[in-house]
């Protein structure tokens, strides 16, 4: 039985190695990692070792094994490795820790003789080399490949393509598409937001024609049914709704918490996440990018209070970074829930409770974009 178990373990290990590409195989092995999907920055060691060797180890043991793997020395050709490894790390900003040791190791290993490792980091910000320690920035290549957000012309071209594929290009006149593209390009440049704007515009046009008694089954009557008026109405719904005012008067810390919720939702792929996971994302990532400093004034002046001001609890301004614990986070989320910006579970379980956004994440991103001091956080959203 022991021999059978050993054989089964060897077979499973061989299968994992085959799936990973096995680091001792000749040629180039491409390893792609998304840092946002990792439980913590240190787990990049575990995931990298698993992809290379097909073996699962904890972060500490994986780091020691990787150190040995990439430290072959110049006297051994190729460090004893027949495989060249190309490591592509998406959302590499997430790996910024207090001592920045994770980023240092990733960019220091390729410098070693015989390591046969190349690292490509994909960041949502252009100033990554300015935000890391000099010992890391000195190891980064000086050339950067920048991908700009979609501009108006890009958005219009994609709109035409998507509408043509959906067989509804004739429903929109050209001026409505141009207007929608200008609005989205001026805010986030997110194509998904542009398509959402078109979808809502079409719904408004359909409701308008139904009220007028038009025959919706007559394709000819639907020619250019979506005009500038419908797009303007949809745009007002999306950008000037009452909840947008609530988002705009959020404190800096509340915006950071909303950003942490969005990032954790995207990393988990779920509709809701535990507050404990949000706290970990907030303290190990968000606050390192956008630390809390002096309290900031509200973006809406006191002379023009938002609707239903009594429903907005006091904002926790000026809280030092070190004091953002579970109690503070729970109070913030409870306040956001009272404004219907987030939603918690039916029963309150404190730090173990689940939380979900009750507004569109692009609306949160739009408000965060309006604050220039949160530009780094906006780039992550």
């Amino acid at each position: 039985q022991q021999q059978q178990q050993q054989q089964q373990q060897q077979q499973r290990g061989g299968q994992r190695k085959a799936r990973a590409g096995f680091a001792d195989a000749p040629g180039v092995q491409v390893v792609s990692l998304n840092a946002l999907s990792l439980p913590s920055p240190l787990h990049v060691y575990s995931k990298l070792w698993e992809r290379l060797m097909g073996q699962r180890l904890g972060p500490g043991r994986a780091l020691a094994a990787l150190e040995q793997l990439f430290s072959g020395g110049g006297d051994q050709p190729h460090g004893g490795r027949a495989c060249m490894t190309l490591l592509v790390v998406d959302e590499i900003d997430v790996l910024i820790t207090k001592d920045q040791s994770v980023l240092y190791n990733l960019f220091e290993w390729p410098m070693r003789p015989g390591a046969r490792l190349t690292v490509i980091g994909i960041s949502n910000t252009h100033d990554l080399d300015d935000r890391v320690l000099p010992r890391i920035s000195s190891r980064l290549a000086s050339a950067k490949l920048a991908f700009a957000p979609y501009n108006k012309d890009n958005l219009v071209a994609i709109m035409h393509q998507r509408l043509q594929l959906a067989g509804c290009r004739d429903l929109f006149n050209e001026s409505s598409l141009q207007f929608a593209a200008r609005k989205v390009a001026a805010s986030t440049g997110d194509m998904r937001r542009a398509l959402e704007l078109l979808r809502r515009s079409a719904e408004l046009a359909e409701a308008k024609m139904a009220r007028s008694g038009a025959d919706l089954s007559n394709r000819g009557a639907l020619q250019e049914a979506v005009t500038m008026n419908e797009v303007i109405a949809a745009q007002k719904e999306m950008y000037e709704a009452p909840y947008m005012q609530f988002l705009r008067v959020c404190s800096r810390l509340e915006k950071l918490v909303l950003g942490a919720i969005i990032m954790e939702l995207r990393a988990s792929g779920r509709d809701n996440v535990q507050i404990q996971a949000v706290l970990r994302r907030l303290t190990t990532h968000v606050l390192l990018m956008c630390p809390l400093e002096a309290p900031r004034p509200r973006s809406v002046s006191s002379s023009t209070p938002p609707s239903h001001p009594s429903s907005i609890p006091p904002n926790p301004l000026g809280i030092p970074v070190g004091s953002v614990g579970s109690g503070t986070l729970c109070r913030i989320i409870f306040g956001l829930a009272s404004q219907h910006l987030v939603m918690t579970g039916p029963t309150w379980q404190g730090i173990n409770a689940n939380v979900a956004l009750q507004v569109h994440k692009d609306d949160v991103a739009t408000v965060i974009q309006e604050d220039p001091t949160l530009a780094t956080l906006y780039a992550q959203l």
Side-chain angles (χ1 to χ4, degrees):
Q1 292 180 351
Q2 292 180 351
Q3 291 179 351
Q4 290 179 352
Q5 291 177 355
Q6 291 177 356
Q7 291 176 356
Q8 291 176 355
Q9 291 178 354
Q10 291 176 356
Q11 290 177 356
R12 286 195 297 266
Q15 292 173 356
R16 288 196 299 265
K17 291 176 181 179
R19 290 194 302 266
F22 197 28
D24 288 338
V28 178
Q29 180 190 24
V30 180
V31 178
S32 299
L33 302 178
N34 190 317
L36 196 58
S37 63
L38 301 174
S40 72
L42 293 177
H43 281 81
V44 70
Y45 301 135
S46 302
K47 186 60 67 174
L48 176 57
W49 181 257
E50 181 181 356
R51 294 288 181 84
L52 290 175
M53 308 303 295
Q55 182 183 14
R56 295 182 179 180
L57 298 177
R61 294 181 59 193
L63 172 60
L66 290 170
E67 284 282 352
Q68 183 178 4
L69 179 66
F70 297 128
S71 300
D75 55 338
Q76 301 180 18
H78 307 318
R81 302 177 64 232
C83 176
M84 169 70 188
T85 300
L86 174 62
L87 173 61
V88 182
V89 184
D90 195 6
E91 307 282 1
I92 198 171
D93 311 68
V94 181
L95 301 182
I96 297 180
T97 57
K98 290 184 178 180
D99 59 1
Q100 300 186 10
S101 60
V102 175
L103 282 181
Y104 176 79
N105 288 331
L106 288 182
F107 288 107
E108 194 269 338
W109 286 334
M111 309 293 292
R112 297 180 180 179
R116 306 203 71 192
L117 173 67
T118 299
V119 178
I120 298 177
I122 302 175
S123 169
N124 288 324
T125 59
H126 299 292
D127 61 342
L128 177 64
D129 49 350
D130 297 329
R131 293 190 289 120
V132 297
L133 298 175
R135 63 172 184 166
I136 301 176
S137 60
S138 63
R139 287 167 168 76
L140 299 178
S142 58
K144 294 187 294 186
L145 182 60
F147 295 89
Y150 288 131
N151 57 30
K152 181 183 73 69
D153 295 334
N154 299 143
L155 293 173
V156 170
I158 299 176
M159 285 178 181
H160 280 288
Q161 182 186 31
R162 293 296 183 89
L163 293 174
Q164 196 71 34
L165 290 174
C168 57
R169 171 63 188 88
D170 56 336
L171 303 183
F172 296 81
N173 61 27
E174 186 62 27
S175 61
S176 64
L177 296 180
Q178 294 286 338
F179 178 79
R182 283 198 302 270
K183 285 296 183 180
V184 175
S187 56
T188 61
D190 191 340
M191 189 62 222
R192 293 167 297 181
R193 194 62 165 168
L195 295 176
E196 175 70 15
L197 182 58
L198 296 185
R199 183 193 64 80
R200 183 54 184 156
S201 302
E203 291 176 349
L204 293 176
E206 182 182 13
K208 179 180 177 181
M209 296 184 67
R211 289 193 301 268
S212 64
D215 184 9
L216 298 180
S217 61
N218 183 5
R219 187 71 180 185
L222 300 179
Q223 294 291 327
E224 297 190 354
V226 182
T227 63
M228 182 87 72
N229 293 332
E230 284 71 37
V231 177
I232 292 176
Q235 185 265 336
K236 287 183 177 180
E237 285 187 7
M238 295 173 62
Y239 293 97
E240 300 178 14
Y243 67 85
M244 292 295 292
Q245 291 295 322
F246 288 125
L247 286 172
R248 288 191 172 94
V249 298
C250 283
S251 71
R252 178 181 178 85
L253 182 53
E254 287 172 326
K255 293 177 183 177
L256 295 177
V257 170
L258 289 170
I261 293 175
I262 292 176
M263 296 173 65
E264 191 61 30
L265 288 171
R266 185 174 62 185
S268 64
R270 299 171 52 194
D271 295 331
N272 58 77
V273 292
Q274 278 195 336
I275 296 179
Q276 186 174 9
V278 177
L279 177 62
R280 182 172 59 250
R281 181 72 62 182
L282 180 69
T283 55
T284 62
H285 183 203
V286 175
L287 289 178
L288 294 179
M289 295 189 302
C290 304
L292 288 175
E293 298 176 352
R296 294 181 58 255
R298 292 176 181 270
S299 59
V300 178
S301 63
S302 57
S303 61
T304 58
S307 304
H308 310 292
S310 60
S311 65
I312 303 179
N315 286 322
L317 292 173
I319 300 177
V321 174
S323 66
V324 180
S326 58
T328 299
L329 180 58
C330 287
R331 289 195 299 272
I332 292 174
I333 290 180
F334 187 78
L336 294 173
S338 68
Q339 303 171 44
H340 303 288
L341 300 178
V342 301
M343 178 175 55
T344 58
T347 58
W348 180 253
Q349 300 176 350
I351 196 68
N352 295 319
N354 289 332
V355 61
L357 282 179
Q358 208 166 352
V359 296
H360 200 284
K361 71 178 186 64
D362 288 339
D363 293 326
V364 178
T366 298
V367 173
I368 290 178
Q369 184 191 26
E370 296 172 357
D371 188 344
T373 65
L374 298 178
T376 305
L377 175 61
Y378 169 73
Q380 298 290 320
L381 304 181

